[in-house]
Structure formats: C-alpha cells, structure tokens
Coordinates of all heavy atoms in Angstrom, one line a residue:
T1345 N 207.2 49.3 -143.9 CA 206.2 50.1 -144.5 C 205.6 51.1 -143.5 O 205.4 52.3 -143.8 CB 205.0 49.3 -145.1 OG1 205.6 48.4 -146.1 CG2 203.9 50.1 -145.7
L1346 N 205.3 50.7 -142.3 CA 204.8 51.6 -141.3 C 205.8 52.6 -140.8 O 205.4 53.8 -140.6 CB 204.3 50.8 -140.1 CG 203.1 49.8 -140.4 CD1 202.8 49.0 -139.1 CD2 201.9 50.5 -140.9
Y1347 N 207.1 52.2 -140.7 CA 208.1 53.1 -140.2 C 208.6 54.1 -141.2 O 208.7 55.3 -140.9 CB 209.2 52.3 -139.6 CG 210.3 53.2 -138.9 CD1 210.0 53.7 -137.7 CD2 211.5 53.4 -139.6 CE1 211.0 54.5 -137.1 CE2 212.5 54.2 -138.9 CZ 212.2 54.7 -137.7 OH 213.1 55.5 -137.1
F1348 N 208.8 53.7 -142.4 CA 209.3 54.5 -143.5 C 208.3 55.2 -144.4 O 208.7 55.9 -145.3 CB 210.3 53.7 -144.3 CG 211.5 53.2 -143.6 CD1 211.6 51.9 -143.3 CD2 212.5 54.1 -143.2 CE1 212.7 51.4 -142.5 CE2 213.6 53.6 -142.5 CZ 213.7 52.3 -142.2
N1349 N 207.1 55.1 -144.0 CA 206.0 55.7 -144.9 C 206.0 57.2 -144.8 O 205.8 57.8 -143.7 CB 204.6 55.1 -144.5 CG 203.5 55.7 -145.3 OD1 203.7 56.3 -146.4 ND2 202.3 55.6 -144.8
D1350 N 206.2 57.9 -145.9 CA 206.1 59.3 -145.9 C 205.1 59.8 -147.0 O 205.1 60.9 -147.4 CB 207.5 60.0 -146.1 CG 208.1 59.6 -147.5 OD1 207.6 58.7 -148.1 OD2 209.1 60.2 -147.8
L1351 N 204.3 58.9 -147.5 CA 203.4 59.1 -148.5 C 201.9 59.2 -148.0 O 201.0 59.3 -148.8 CB 203.4 58.1 -149.6 CG 204.8 58.0 -150.4 CD1 204.8 56.8 -151.3 CD2 205.1 59.2 -151.1
G1352 N 201.7 59.1 -146.7 CA 200.3 59.1 -146.2 C 199.6 57.8 -146.5 O 200.2 56.7 -146.5
I1353 N 198.4 58.0 -146.9 CA 197.5 56.8 -147.1 C 198.1 56.0 -148.3 O 198.0 54.8 -148.3 CB 196.1 57.2 -147.4 CG1 195.5 57.7 -146.1 CG2 195.2 56.0 -147.9 CD1 194.1 58.3 -146.2
I1354 N 198.6 56.7 -149.3 CA 199.1 56.0 -150.5 C 200.3 55.1 -150.1 O 200.4 54.0 -150.7 CB 199.6 57.1 -151.6 CG1 198.4 57.9 -152.1 CG2 200.3 56.4 -152.7 CD1 197.4 57.1 -152.8
G1355 N 201.0 55.5 -149.2 CA 202.1 54.6 -148.7 C 201.7 53.3 -148.1 O 202.5 52.4 -148.0
F1356 N 200.5 53.2 -147.7 CA 200.0 52.0 -147.1 C 199.4 51.0 -148.2 O 199.1 49.9 -147.8 CB 198.9 52.3 -146.1 CG 199.4 52.9 -144.8 CD1 199.1 54.2 -144.5 CD2 200.2 52.2 -143.9 CE1 199.6 54.8 -143.3 CE2 200.7 52.7 -142.8 CZ 200.4 54.0 -142.5
L1357 N 199.3 51.4 -149.4 CA 198.7 50.6 -150.4 C 199.5 49.3 -150.6 O 198.9 48.2 -150.8 CB 198.6 51.3 -151.8 CG 197.4 52.3 -151.8 CD1 197.4 53.0 -153.2 CD2 196.1 51.7 -151.5
P1358 N 200.8 49.3 -150.6 CA 201.5 48.0 -150.7 C 201.1 47.0 -149.6 O 201.0 45.8 -149.8 CB 203.0 48.3 -150.7 CG 203.1 49.7 -151.2 CD 201.8 50.4 -150.7
L1359 N 201.0 47.5 -148.4 CA 200.6 46.7 -147.2 C 199.2 46.2 -147.4 O 198.9 45.0 -147.2 CB 200.8 47.5 -145.9 CG 200.4 46.8 -144.6 CD1 201.3 45.6 -144.4 CD2 200.4 47.8 -143.5
I1360 N 198.3 47.1 -147.8 CA 196.9 46.7 -148.0 C 196.8 45.6 -149.1 O 196.1 44.6 -148.9 CB 196.1 47.9 -148.3 CG1 196.0 48.9 -147.1 CG2 194.7 47.5 -148.8 CD1 195.4 50.3 -147.4
N1361 N 197.6 45.8 -150.2 CA 197.5 44.9 -151.3 C 198.0 43.5 -150.8 O 197.5 42.5 -151.1 CB 198.4 45.3 -152.4 CG 197.7 46.0 -153.5 OD1 196.5 45.8 -153.6 ND2 198.3 46.8 -154.3
T1362 N 199.1 43.5 -150.1 CA 199.7 42.2 -149.6 C 198.7 41.5 -148.7 O 198.5 40.3 -148.8 CB 201.0 42.5 -148.9 OG1 201.9 43.2 -149.7 CG2 201.6 41.2 -148.4
I1363 N 198.0 42.2 -147.8 CA 197.1 41.6 -146.9 C 195.9 41.1 -147.7 O 195.4 39.9 -147.4 CB 196.6 42.6 -145.8 CG1 197.8 42.9 -144.9 CG2 195.4 42.1 -145.1 CD1 197.5 44.1 -143.9
I1364 N 195.3 41.9 -148.6 CA 194.2 41.4 -149.4 C 194.6 40.2 -150.2 O 193.8 39.2 -150.2 CB 193.7 42.5 -150.3 CG1 193.0 43.6 -149.5 CG2 192.7 42.0 -151.4 CD1 192.7 44.9 -150.4
Y1365 N 195.7 40.2 -150.8 CA 196.1 39.1 -151.7 C 196.3 37.8 -150.8 O 195.9 36.7 -151.2 CB 197.4 39.5 -152.5 CG 197.7 38.5 -153.5 CD1 197.1 38.5 -154.7 CD2 198.8 37.6 -153.3 CE1 197.4 37.6 -155.7 CE2 199.1 36.7 -154.3 CZ 198.4 36.7 -155.5 OH 198.8 35.8 -156.5
T1366 N 197.0 38.0 -149.7 CA 197.3 36.8 -148.8 C 196.0 36.2 -148.3 O 195.9 35.0 -148.2 CB 198.2 37.3 -147.7 OG1 199.4 37.8 -148.2 CG2 198.5 36.1 -146.8
L1367 N 195.0 37.0 -147.9 CA 193.8 36.5 -147.3 C 192.9 35.8 -148.3 O 192.2 34.8 -148.0 CB 193.0 37.7 -146.7 CG 193.6 38.3 -145.4 CD1 192.7 39.4 -144.9 CD2 193.7 37.2 -144.3
F1368 N 193.0 36.2 -149.6 CA 192.0 35.7 -150.5 C 192.7 34.9 -151.7 O 192.0 34.6 -152.7 CB 191.2 36.8 -151.1 CG 190.3 37.5 -150.1 CD1 190.7 38.8 -149.6 CD2 189.2 36.9 -149.6 CE1 189.9 39.4 -148.7 CE2 188.5 37.6 -148.6 CZ 188.8 38.8 -148.2
I1369 N 193.9 34.6 -151.6 CA 194.6 33.9 -152.6 C 194.1 32.4 -152.9 O 194.2 31.9 -153.9 CB 196.2 33.8 -152.4 CG1 196.9 33.2 -153.6 CG2 196.5 33.0 -151.1 CD1 196.9 34.1 -154.8
N1370 N 193.5 31.9 -151.9 CA 193.1 30.5 -151.9 C 191.7 30.3 -152.6 O 190.9 29.4 -152.2 CB 193.1 29.9 -150.5 CG 193.1 28.4 -150.6 OD1 193.4 27.8 -151.6 ND2 192.7 27.7 -149.5
Q1371 N 191.3 31.2 -153.5 CA 190.0 31.1 -154.2 C 190.0 30.0 -155.1 O 190.9 29.8 -156.0 CB 189.8 32.4 -154.9 CG 189.5 33.6 -154.1 CD 188.3 33.5 -153.2 OE1 187.2 33.0 -153.7 NE2 188.3 33.9 -152.0
K1372 N 189.0 29.1 -155.0 CA 188.8 28.0 -156.0 C 188.1 28.4 -157.2 O 188.2 27.9 -158.3 CB 188.1 26.9 -155.3 CG 188.7 26.4 -154.0 CD 190.1 25.8 -154.3 CE 190.7 25.2 -153.0 NZ 192.1 25.2 -153.0
D1373 N 187.2 29.5 -157.1 CA 186.5 30.0 -158.2 C 187.3 30.9 -159.1 O 187.9 31.9 -158.6 CB 185.3 30.8 -157.7 CG 184.4 31.3 -158.8 OD1 184.5 30.8 -160.0 OD2 183.5 32.1 -158.5
P1374 N 187.6 30.5 -160.3 CA 188.4 31.3 -161.2 C 188.0 32.8 -161.4 O 188.8 33.7 -161.5 CB 188.4 30.6 -162.5 CG 187.7 29.3 -162.4 CD 187.0 29.4 -161.0
L1375 N 186.7 33.0 -161.4 CA 186.1 34.3 -161.6 C 186.5 35.2 -160.3 O 186.9 36.4 -160.5 CB 184.6 34.3 -161.8 CG 184.0 35.7 -162.1 CD1 184.6 36.3 -163.3 CD2 182.5 35.5 -162.3
K1376 N 186.3 34.6 -159.1 CA 186.7 35.4 -157.9 C 188.2 35.7 -157.9 O 188.6 36.7 -157.4 CB 186.2 34.6 -156.7 CG 184.7 34.6 -156.5 CD 184.4 33.8 -155.3 CE 182.8 33.8 -155.1 NZ 182.4 33.0 -154.0
F1377 N 189.0 34.7 -158.3 CA 190.4 34.9 -158.4 C 190.8 36.0 -159.3 O 191.6 36.9 -159.0 CB 191.1 33.6 -158.7 CG 192.6 33.7 -158.7 CD1 193.3 33.8 -157.5 CD2 193.3 33.8 -159.9 CE1 194.7 34.0 -157.5 CE2 194.7 33.9 -159.9 CZ 195.4 34.0 -158.7
K1378 N 190.2 36.1 -160.5 CA 190.4 37.2 -161.4 C 190.0 38.5 -160.8 O 190.7 39.5 -161.0 CB 189.7 37.0 -162.8 CG 190.2 35.8 -163.5 CD 191.6 36.1 -164.0 CE 192.2 34.9 -164.8 NZ 193.5 35.0 -165.2
L1379 N 188.9 38.6 -160.1 CA 188.5 39.8 -159.4 C 189.5 40.2 -158.4 O 189.8 41.4 -158.2 CB 187.1 39.6 -158.9 CG 186.0 39.5 -159.9 CD1 184.6 39.2 -159.2 CD2 185.9 40.7 -160.8
L1380 N 190.0 39.2 -157.7 CA 191.1 39.5 -156.7 C 192.3 40.2 -157.4 O 192.8 41.2 -156.9 CB 191.5 38.3 -156.0 CG 192.8 38.3 -155.1 CD1 192.6 39.2 -153.9 CD2 193.2 36.9 -154.7
L1381 N 192.7 39.6 -158.5 CA 193.8 40.1 -159.2 C 193.5 41.5 -159.7 O 194.4 42.4 -159.7 CB 194.2 39.2 -160.4 CG 194.8 37.9 -160.0 CD1 195.1 37.1 -161.3 CD2 196.1 38.1 -159.3
L1382 N 192.3 41.7 -160.2 CA 191.9 43.1 -160.7 C 192.0 44.1 -159.6 O 192.5 45.2 -159.8 CB 190.5 43.0 -161.3 CG 189.9 44.3 -161.8 CD1 190.8 44.8 -163.0 CD2 188.5 44.1 -162.3
I1383 N 191.5 43.8 -158.4 CA 191.5 44.7 -157.3 C 193.0 45.1 -157.0 O 193.3 46.3 -156.8 CB 190.8 44.2 -156.1 CG1 189.3 44.1 -156.4 CG2 191.0 45.0 -154.9 CD1 188.5 43.3 -155.4
T1384 N 193.8 44.1 -156.8 CA 195.2 44.3 -156.5 C 195.9 45.1 -157.5 O 196.8 46.0 -157.2 CB 195.9 43.0 -156.1 OG1 195.9 42.1 -157.2 CG2 195.3 42.4 -154.8
F1385 N 195.7 44.8 -158.8 CA 196.3 45.5 -159.9 C 195.9 47.0 -159.9 O 196.8 47.9 -160.2 CB 196.0 44.9 -161.3 CG 196.8 43.6 -161.5 CD1 196.1 42.6 -162.2 CD2 198.1 43.5 -161.2 CE1 196.8 41.4 -162.4 CE2 198.8 42.3 -161.4 CZ 198.1 41.2 -162.1
I1386 N 194.7 47.2 -159.6 CA 194.2 48.6 -159.6 C 194.9 49.4 -158.5 O 195.3 50.5 -158.6 CB 192.7 48.7 -159.5 CG1 192.1 48.2 -160.8 CG2 192.2 50.1 -159.2 CD1 190.6 48.1 -160.8
L1387 N 195.0 48.8 -157.3 CA 195.6 49.4 -156.2 C 197.1 49.6 -156.4 O 197.7 50.7 -156.1 CB 195.4 48.6 -154.9 CG 194.0 48.6 -154.3 CD1 193.9 47.6 -153.1 CD2 193.5 50.0 -154.0
W1388 N 197.8 48.7 -157.1 CA 199.2 48.9 -157.4 C 199.3 50.0 -158.5 O 200.3 50.7 -158.4 CB 199.8 47.6 -158.0 CG 200.3 46.7 -156.9 CD1 199.8 45.4 -156.6 CD2 201.3 46.9 -155.9 NE1 200.5 44.9 -155.5 CE2 201.4 45.8 -155.1 CE3 202.1 48.0 -155.7 CZ2 202.3 45.7 -154.1 CZ3 203.1 47.9 -154.7 CH2 203.2 46.8 -153.9
F1389 N 198.4 50.1 -159.4 CA 198.4 51.1 -160.4 C 198.4 52.5 -159.7 O 199.1 53.4 -160.1 CB 197.3 50.9 -161.4 CG 197.2 52.0 -162.4 CD1 198.0 52.1 -163.5 CD2 196.2 53.0 -162.3 CE1 198.0 53.1 -164.4 CE2 196.1 54.0 -163.2 CZ 197.0 54.1 -164.3
I1390 N 197.5 52.7 -158.8 CA 197.3 53.9 -158.1 C 198.6 54.3 -157.3 O 199.1 55.4 -157.4 CB 196.1 53.9 -157.1 CG1 194.8 53.8 -157.9 CG2 196.1 55.1 -156.2 CD1 193.6 53.4 -157.0
Y1391 N 199.2 53.3 -156.7 CA 200.5 53.5 -156.0 C 201.6 53.8 -156.9 O 202.3 54.8 -156.7 CB 200.8 52.2 -155.2 CG 202.1 52.3 -154.4 CD1 202.2 53.1 -153.3 CD2 203.2 51.6 -154.9 CE1 203.4 53.2 -152.6 CE2 204.4 51.7 -154.2 CZ 204.5 52.5 -153.1 OH 205.7 52.6 -152.4
D1392 N 201.7 53.1 -158.0 CA 202.8 53.3 -159.0 C 202.7 54.7 -159.6 O 203.7 55.4 -159.8 CB 202.8 52.3 -160.1 CG 203.2 50.9 -159.5 OD1 204.0 50.9 -158.5 OD2 202.9 49.9 -160.1
I1393 N 201.5 55.2 -159.9 CA 201.3 56.5 -160.5 C 201.8 57.6 -159.4 O 202.5 58.5 -159.8 CB 199.9 56.8 -160.9 CG1 199.5 55.9 -162.1 CG2 199.6 58.3 -161.1 CD1 200.3 56.3 -163.4
N1394 N 201.5 57.4 -158.2 CA 201.8 58.3 -157.1 C 203.3 58.4 -156.9 O 203.8 59.4 -156.5 CB 201.1 58.1 -155.9 CG 199.7 58.6 -155.9 OD1 199.5 59.8 -155.8 ND2 198.7 57.8 -156.1
I1395 N 204.0 57.3 -157.0 CA 205.5 57.3 -156.8 C 206.2 57.5 -158.1 O 207.4 57.4 -158.2 CB 206.0 56.0 -156.1 CG1 205.8 54.8 -157.0 CG2 205.3 55.9 -154.7 CD1 206.5 53.6 -156.5
K1396 N 205.5 57.8 -159.2 CA 206.0 58.1 -160.5 C 206.8 56.9 -161.1 O 207.8 57.1 -161.8 CB 206.9 59.3 -160.5 CG 206.1 60.6 -160.2 CD 206.9 61.8 -160.1 CE 206.2 63.0 -159.8 NZ 205.4 63.1 -158.6
S1397 N 206.3 55.7 -160.9 CA 206.9 54.5 -161.5 C 206.0 54.1 -162.7 O 205.2 53.2 -162.6 CB 206.9 53.4 -160.4 OG 207.4 52.2 -161.0
Y1398 N 206.2 54.8 -163.8 CA 205.3 54.7 -164.9 C 205.4 53.4 -165.6 O 204.4 52.9 -166.1 CB 205.5 55.9 -165.8 CG 205.2 57.2 -165.2 CD1 206.2 58.2 -165.0 CD2 204.0 57.5 -164.6 CE1 206.0 59.4 -164.4 CE2 203.7 58.7 -164.0 CZ 204.7 59.6 -163.9 OH 204.5 60.8 -163.3
T1399 N 206.6 52.8 -165.6 CA 206.7 51.5 -166.2 C 205.9 50.4 -165.5 O 205.2 49.6 -166.1 CB 208.2 51.0 -166.3 OG1 208.9 52.0 -167.0 CG2 208.4 49.7 -167.0
S1400 N 206.0 50.4 -164.2 CA 205.2 49.5 -163.3 C 203.7 49.8 -163.5 O 202.9 48.9 -163.5 CB 205.6 49.6 -161.9 OG 206.9 49.2 -161.7
A1401 N 203.3 51.1 -163.6 CA 201.9 51.5 -163.7 C 201.4 51.0 -165.0 O 200.3 50.5 -165.1 CB 201.8 53.0 -163.7
F1402 N 202.2 51.0 -166.1 CA 201.8 50.5 -167.4 C 201.5 49.0 -167.3 O 200.5 48.5 -167.8 CB 202.8 50.8 -168.5 CG 202.5 50.2 -169.8 CD1 201.5 50.7 -170.6 CD2 203.2 49.1 -170.3 CE1 201.2 50.2 -171.8 CE2 202.9 48.5 -171.5 CZ 201.9 49.1 -172.3
F1403 N 202.5 48.3 -166.6 CA 202.3 46.8 -166.4 C 201.0 46.5 -165.7 O 200.3 45.6 -166.0 CB 203.5 46.3 -165.7 CG 203.3 44.8 -165.3 CD1 203.4 43.8 -166.2 CD2 203.0 44.5 -164.0 CE1 203.2 42.5 -165.8 CE2 202.8 43.2 -163.6 CZ 202.9 42.2 -164.5
D1404 N 200.8 47.3 -164.6 CA 199.6 47.1 -163.8 C 198.3 47.3 -164.6 O 197.3 46.6 -164.5 CB 199.6 47.9 -162.5 CG 200.7 47.6 -161.6 OD1 201.2 46.4 -161.6 OD2 201.2 48.5 -160.9
L1405 N 198.3 48.4 -165.4 CA 197.2 48.7 -166.2 C 196.9 47.6 -167.2 O 195.7 47.2 -167.4 CB 197.4 50.1 -166.9 CG 196.2 50.6 -167.7 CD1 195.0 50.8 -166.8 CD2 196.6 51.9 -168.4
T1406 N 197.9 47.2 -167.9 CA 197.7 46.1 -168.9 C 197.3 44.8 -168.2 O 196.5 44.1 -168.8 CB 198.9 45.9 -169.8 OG1 200.1 45.6 -168.9 CG2 199.2 47.1 -170.7
S1407 N 197.8 44.5 -167.1 CA 197.4 43.3 -166.3 C 196.0 43.4 -165.9 O 195.2 42.4 -165.9 CB 198.3 43.1 -165.1 OG 199.6 42.9 -165.5
A1408 N 195.5 44.6 -165.5 CA 194.1 44.8 -165.1 C 193.2 44.6 -166.2 O 192.2 44.0 -166.1 CB 193.9 46.2 -164.4
I1409 N 193.6 45.2 -167.4 CA 192.8 45.0 -168.6 C 192.7 43.5 -169.0 O 191.6 43.0 -169.3 CB 193.3 45.9 -169.7 CG1 193.1 47.3 -169.4 CG2 192.7 45.5 -171.1 CD1 193.9 48.3 -170.3
T1410 N 193.8 42.8 -168.9 CA 193.8 41.4 -169.2 C 192.9 40.6 -168.2 O 192.2 39.7 -168.6 CB 195.2 40.9 -169.1 OG1 196.1 41.6 -170.1 CG2 195.3 39.4 -169.5
A1411 N 193.0 41.0 -167.0 CA 192.1 40.3 -166.0 C 190.6 40.6 -166.2 O 189.8 39.7 -166.1 CB 192.5 40.8 -164.6
I1412 N 190.3 41.8 -166.7 CA 188.9 42.1 -167.0 C 188.4 41.2 -168.2 O 187.4 40.6 -168.1 CB 188.7 43.6 -167.4 CG1 188.9 44.4 -166.1 CG2 187.4 43.9 -168.0 CD1 189.0 45.9 -166.4
F1413 N 189.2 41.2 -169.3 CA 188.9 40.3 -170.4 C 188.8 38.9 -170.0 O 187.8 38.2 -170.4 CB 189.8 40.5 -171.6 CG 189.6 41.8 -172.3 CD1 190.6 42.7 -172.4 CD2 188.4 42.0 -173.0 CE1 190.5 43.9 -173.1 CE2 188.2 43.2 -173.7 CZ 189.3 44.1 -173.8
S1414 N 189.7 38.4 -169.2 CA 189.7 37.0 -168.8 C 188.4 36.7 -167.9 O 187.8 35.7 -168.1 CB 190.9 36.7 -168.0 OG 190.9 35.4 -167.6
A1415 N 188.1 37.7 -167.0 CA 186.9 37.5 -166.2 C 185.6 37.4 -167.1 O 184.7 36.6 -166.8 CB 186.8 38.6 -165.2
F1416 N 185.5 38.3 -168.1 CA 184.4 38.2 -169.0 C 184.3 36.9 -169.7 O 183.2 36.3 -169.9 CB 184.4 39.4 -170.0 CG 183.9 40.7 -169.4 CD1 184.7 41.8 -169.5 CD2 182.7 40.8 -168.8 CE1 184.2 43.0 -169.0 CE2 182.2 42.0 -168.3 CZ 183.0 43.1 -168.4
Q1417 N 185.5 36.4 -170.2 CA 185.5 35.1 -170.8 C 185.0 34.0 -169.9 O 184.3 33.1 -170.3 CB 186.9 34.8 -171.4 CG 187.3 35.5 -172.6 CD 186.4 35.1 -173.8 OE1 185.6 35.9 -174.2 NE2 186.5 33.9 -174.2
I1418 N 185.5 34.0 -168.7 CA 185.1 33.0 -167.7 C 183.6 33.0 -167.4 O 182.9 32.0 -167.4 CB 185.9 33.1 -166.4 CG1 187.4 32.8 -166.6 CG2 185.3 32.3 -165.3 CD1 188.3 33.1 -165.5
H1419 N 183.1 34.3 -167.3 CA 181.7 34.5 -167.0 C 180.9 34.0 -168.2 O 179.8 33.3 -168.1 CB 181.4 35.9 -166.7 CG 180.0 36.2 -166.4 ND1 179.4 35.7 -165.2 CD2 179.0 36.9 -167.1 CE1 178.1 36.1 -165.2 NE2 177.9 36.8 -166.3
K1420 N 181.3 34.3 -169.4 CA 180.6 34.0 -170.7 C 180.6 32.4 -170.8 O 179.6 31.9 -171.2 CB 181.3 34.6 -171.9 CG 180.7 34.3 -173.2 CD 181.5 35.0 -174.3 CE 181.1 34.5 -175.6 NZ 181.9 35.0 -176.7
N1421 N 181.7 31.8 -170.6 CA 181.8 30.3 -170.7 C 181.0 29.6 -169.7 O 180.4 28.6 -169.9 CB 183.3 29.9 -170.7 CG 184.0 30.3 -171.9 OD1 183.5 30.5 -172.9 ND2 185.4 30.3 -171.8
S1422 N 180.9 30.2 -168.5 CA 180.1 29.6 -167.4 C 178.6 29.7 -167.8 O 177.8 28.8 -167.5 CB 180.4 30.1 -166.1 OG 179.9 31.5 -166.0
N1423 N 178.2 30.8 -168.4 CA 176.8 30.9 -168.8 C 176.4 30.0 -170.0 O 175.3 29.5 -170.1 CB 176.5 32.4 -169.2 CG 176.4 33.3 -168.0 OD1 176.2 32.8 -166.9 ND2 176.5 34.6 -168.3
N1424 N 177.4 29.8 -170.9 CA 177.1 28.9 -172.0 C 177.0 27.4 -171.6 O 176.3 26.6 -172.2 CB 178.3 29.0 -173.0 CG 178.2 30.3 -173.8 OD1 177.1 30.9 -173.9 ND2 179.3 30.7 -174.4
K1425 N 177.7 27.0 -170.5 CA 177.6 25.6 -170.0 C 176.3 25.4 -169.4 O 175.8 24.3 -169.4 CB 178.8 25.4 -169.0 CG 180.1 25.3 -169.7 CD 181.2 25.0 -168.7 CE 182.5 25.0 -169.4 NZ 183.6 24.8 -168.4
V1426 N 175.7 26.4 -168.7 CA 174.4 26.2 -168.0 C 173.3 26.1 -169.0 O 172.4 25.3 -168.8 CB 174.2 27.4 -167.1 CG1 172.8 27.4 -166.5 CG2 175.2 27.5 -166.0
A1427 N 173.3 26.8 -170.1 CA 172.2 26.8 -171.1 C 172.2 25.6 -171.9 O 172.9 24.7 -172.0 CB 172.4 28.0 -172.0

C-alpha cells in the first residue's frame, strides 16, 4: 500500500481501515462493534467510489445502512431492558 499508492490520501484508506478494524475488533459491547463496522464500511465506501468500484461501493453502502439499523435495534432493546 505504501509503495504502490498513487491515489494520495484515498490510497491509504485500506491501510487505515485495516488498522482500525484490527485494533478494535475485540469489542464485547455489540453496539460499539456495530459502530466499528459502520466506520469501516463508510471508509471503504469512500475508497470504492474513488477507484470506481461501484459494485463494492453498493455493498458497503447497504452494509452501512444495515449496521445503522442494527445499532438502533440494539440501543432500543437495551433501553427497554433498563425500564
């Protein structure tokens, strides 16, 4: 990635994503894990759009939307258990 990068900052997004995911994959809290997935999906979406990989960008976008809905469900269910 460092040697063959000709995309500037956008070219570093796969490396940044891999580092973020590796550092925080061990989340025990499901909501934090969904937020981790959401962040990485958004970064992959930006990268895929820039390299014109529209099929991958569509997958990343739908995965991010699914992660958002799932995070809301987890948050909603955790609030219902407290009350």
Side-chain angles (χ1 to χ4, degrees):
T1345 300
L1346 297 175
Y1347 184 72
F1348 295 108
N1349 180 17
D1350 62 350
L1351 298 173
I1353 293 175
I1354 296 296
F1356 289 111
L1357 285 180
L1359 177 65
I1360 294 167
N1361 262 338
T1362 303
I1363 291 171
I1364 291 172
Y1365 191 78
T1366 303
L1367 290 176
F1368 297 106
I1369 187 66
N1370 199 19
Q1371 290 295 319
K1372 303 297 183 205
D1373 183 11
L1375 184 59
K1376 288 181 183 176
F1377 182 72
K1378 292 295 179 181
L1379 293 175
L1380 168 68
L1381 290 177
L1382 179 62
I1383 291 168
T1384 56
F1385 285 140
I1386 289 171
L1387 291 175
W1388 277 116
F1389 176 76
I1390 293 167
Y1391 177 75
D1392 290 336
I1393 290 295
N1394 279 287
I1395 65 166
K1396 296 178 176 60
S1397 177
Y1398 300 118
T1399 304
S1400 297
F1402 176 75
F1403 171 77
D1404 296 331
L1405 183 62
T1406 55
S1407 298
I1409 292 169
T1410 303
I1412 290 169
F1413 282 121
S1414 179
F1416 279 128
Q1417 281 297 111
I1418 292 170
H1419 182 69
K1420 180 180 167 185
N1421 288 341
S1422 68
N1423 284 343
N1424 287 341
K1425 289 180 183 177
V1426 174

